[in-house]
Amino acid sequence: MVEPSQFSPSASSSTADTEQEAQRLRREVARIPVWWHSIDLGHGVVTPGQKGNTGGTHAADFMRAELERLRFPSLAGKSVLDIGAWDGYYSFEAERRGAARVVALDHFVWSMDLGTGRSEPEELPGKRGFDLARRELGSAVEPVVADFMTMDLEPLGTFDVVLFLGVLYHLKDPLGALHRLARVTSGVAVIESDAAVFPGFEETALCEFFESDERDRDPTNWWAPNLRALTGMCRAAGFDPVNVVQGPPTSASHAQPGTAPLRYRAIVHAEMQTE
Ligand SMILES: C[S@@+](CC[C@H](N)C(=O)[O-])C[C@H]1O[C@@H](n2cnc3c(N)ncnc32)[C@H](O)[C@@H]1O
């Protein structure tokens, strides 16, 4: 039996409004040439996350599984800094989990026109996805446009939780980067990185260096540390303890010593003890 209200002009016009809203949003999403993250913007519209070179597809199911793997600490009431935020999926998730303040920091990709590959630091064409998502989600995440490696860290301050996801191996000076990370972390840094096992050398701290684009045809991939190197660099930078949340896959333990490096993604929670 059909309820009379379903035929009322107000019900049908509000359905039409919602559909118009979804169409408008779909058009805006389609105008962004590359979305890195799948973000649910509401109205049934989810941004089309891209395939990462080394880190999965960034489709909605990958992002949900990745959140599980990262095992964020409780973020309720915390201050959170997301370094290398790109479209902001993890910043918005931190906000959704009740963080009191979230800062999303990026510069490299935000400066790029990912349609043409040109850098336009004045226009920030690569930030349009983040801006669109922030507006649609009614988010209060604070964007900071800055190069984490050269910016003045004093005005940025310190944060209870710092997300450093998929950034370390893009930086020419990873140990220097971890020292800077330690300066802005008052609680824990969640670090996710491309990583490698060098069979037979698990007890030696080693990093593979890529001089060009041999790591997945991406000239901005410089390093693949093994777990010893990653955890050791974190401690050398002042973090302690450094807890391994995701180490090498179990299949790596069967590799013959001296055979080719095995790639995987490492996750550590690096804690900062403050008196
Ligand atoms: C592989 S993406 C990871 C994006 C996101 N954190 C994630 O895990 O899905 C690397 C990000 O780090 C940013 N990035 C690279 N170098 C940076 C730097 N020196 N300062 C700030 N952001 C940087 C890039 O612009 C890009 O958004």
Side-chain angles (χ1 to χ4, degrees), residues 36-37 58 63 82-87 90 105-110 146-150 164-167 169-171 192 265:
W36 185 247
H37 293 146
H58 302 98
M63 302 298 303
D82 182 7
I83 299 171
W86 201 327
D87 294 326
Y90 295 108
L105 188 147
D106 210 311
H107 86 117
F108 178 73
V109 153
W110 281 357
D147 180 340
F148 180 65
M149 295 306 288
T150 55
F164 202 52
L165 311 175
V167 183
Y169 55 92
H170 288 301
L171 303 175
E192 190 268 353
R265 304 290 290 200

Side-chain angles (χ1 to χ4, degrees), residues 9 21 24 28 31 56 58-60 66-67 77 90 102 110 116 119 125 127 169 175 179 196 198 200 236 238 243 245:
E21 185 63 9
R24 173 201 57 83
E28 286 200 58
R31 276 200 284 272
H58 302 98
E66 185 68 351
L67 269 181
Y90 295 108
V102 182
W110 281 357
T116 64
S119 178
K127 184 166 168 280
Y169 55 92
L175 181 56
H179 272 105
F198 308 104
N243 302 308
V245 170

Side-chain angles (χ1 to χ4, degrees), residues 73-80 93-102 159-161 186:
S74 168
L75 299 180
K78 300 280 175 63
S79 55
V80 177
E93 177 63 20
E95 186 174 53
R96 199 186 67 77
R97 294 187 183 197
R101 180 181 181 221
V102 182
F159 294 78
D160 299 315
V161 179
S186 56

